[in-house]
Amino acid sequence: MKVYRTNNGNYVEDGGKHFRVPESNWDALVTHEDLRTYLESIAATGKPAADFASVRIEAPIGSQEVWAAGVTFYRSRSARMAEAKDAGGGDFYDRVYSAQRPELFFKSTPSRVAGPGSPVRIRADASWSVPEPELTLLINPRGQIIGYTVGNDMSSRDIEGENPLYLPQAKVYDRSCALGPCILVRSDPLPATTPIRLEIERAGRAEFSGATTLAELKRAPAELVGYLFRENTFPAGAFLMTGTGIVPPDSFTLNHGDRVRITIDPIGTLENEVVQQKSGAKG
Ligand code: DO4
Ligand code: MG
């Protein structure tokens, strides 16, 4: 069962059919006491909504904060160690990969999040920018994982590589985070075989593609959520990106006009164009 936030309210998809959700407030919907049962009852009794085909799908976010986990895949550990080596910071990534406490960082406020089909940005003062395709958890205020979406943790590798203390600038800027296209509502974990795929298209041609699976994710989603909720409350719930396992070669950087497609099969595909323009300019 999938739930979409659109310019025309919220919809639930069940068995390939879409139904209008009476609860139009996203925060109220995702903090519902029993979201799954509520959505099932709409699909069981409602009439399919013919207008779903004409709506614009928006990022599935209300007032939730977006957090992210880092260095949760071996591929990310190795890439980060190499990029931070000259600055003397490589060792930190190796240590956090094996440490008991994970790396968690604040990623985005809702206003900085791009939805499906709207642009993500690369910083004008960065020379090495990459997308990071990440399974993203939606967690309710009680710390329960209630669903999954596709996330893109856009990153400026030259900035974080220059000094690990620059991480917030490499990670947090306008449209540096994309989420969507929907929330797959399920409380049980996704199977380890779940594939995550990244495709980057440049001028209509495939420029890079890569894939991984959740079997490569070193930490269980519930463990990451446990750390996030240790000393934080989230009245509207929260998103937690679980880290990247796909890193393009060091010679690759995103360009203005590239298209980034991230697919996690049971959820869907999140596609965004990349722009490099002044922050605040409408994309
Ligand atoms: O520590 C740097 C960020 C790591 C990250 O975003 C990732 O592994 O996905
Ligand atoms: Mg990341």
Side-chain angles (χ1 to χ4, degrees):
M1 174 156 300
K2 296 177 182 178
V3 62
Y4 292 85
R5 184 174 166 270
T6 81
N7 63 329
N8 193 39
N10 303 321
Y11 290 78
V12 59
E13 180 189 335
D14 193 28
K17 295 195 177 90
H18 297 90
F19 304 86
R20 199 58 204 265
V21 176
E23 178 55 79
S24 59
N25 181 290
W26 185 260
D27 289 353
L29 183 64
V30 303
T31 56
H32 196 284
E33 254 185 36
D34 188 352
L35 178 61
R36 192 181 172 82
T37 307
Y38 173 64
L39 295 174
E40 276 169 359
S41 72
I42 294 164
T45 57
K47 275 212 304 252
D51 61 352
F52 184 75
S54 59
V55 301
R56 188 183 64 245
I57 296 172
E58 297 184 340
I61 190 165
S63 56
Q64 293 73 37
E65 295 174 5
V66 184
W67 286 69
V71 200
T72 50
F73 285 78
Y74 194 78
R75 178 72 186 103
S76 179
R77 165 203 167 270
S78 311
R80 252 87 202 192
M81 284 179 73
E83 88 191 0
K85 190 164 165 267
D86 289 349
D91 185 41
F92 285 99
Y93 293 103
D94 185 35
R95 280 159 54 184
V96 84
Y97 181 74
S98 322
Q100 197 167 4
R101 182 189 291 272
E103 177 195 1
L104 296 180
F105 58 91
F106 183 80
K107 174 63 189 175
S108 191
T109 53
S111 70
R112 296 199 172 91
V113 172
S118 76
V120 287
R121 289 182 60 253
I122 45 182
R123 291 183 64 118
D125 60 357
S127 58
W128 186 14
S129 302
V130 293
E132 295 193 350
E134 307 192 6
L135 175 71
T136 301
L137 318 172
L138 174 57
I139 310 149
N140 70 15
R142 297 172 290 287
Q144 298 159 330
I145 299 171
I146 53 169
Y148 301 88
T149 191
V150 181
N152 180 355
D153 169 23
M154 292 283 289
S155 303
S156 313
R157 292 193 61 194
D158 55 324
I159 296 178
E160 70 180 28
E162 188 180 337
N163 187 323
L165 295 178
Y166 292 154
L167 189 78
Q169 294 177 73
K171 293 286 192 179
V172 185
Y173 56 89
D174 290 346
R175 292 183 172 273
S176 68
C177 175
L179 296 176
C182 64
I183 303 292
L184 173 72
V185 178
R186 61 181 273 167
S187 42
D188 49 332
L190 291 172
T193 51
T194 302
I196 300 177
R197 290 196 297 274
L198 169 65
E199 293 166 83
I200 302 169
E201 199 181 285
R202 181 163 296 163
R205 300 164 66 129
E207 181 71 17
F208 172 81
S209 69
T212 186
T213 72
L214 291 183
E216 304 299 317
L217 177 60
K218 184 163 187 277
R219 300 180 189 261
E223 174 198 338
L224 297 172
V225 172
Y227 272 95
L228 181 62
F229 275 66
R230 268 192 180 186
E231 295 290 340
N232 283 301
T233 48
F234 297 97
F239 285 94
L240 179 56
M241 310 179 89
T242 57
T244 188
I246 306 172
V247 183
D250 292 358
S251 55
F252 175 88
T253 186
L254 284 169
N255 283 352
H256 178 92
D258 286 354
R259 297 197 76 79
V260 177
R261 253 191 310 276
I262 304 170
T263 302
I264 304 181
D265 269 335
I267 307 167
T269 298
L270 172 63
E271 181 167 345
N272 301 91
E273 187 185 349
V274 175
V275 298
Q276 184 170 39
Q277 63 189 28
K278 255 192 158 26
S279 167
K282 289 260 181 258

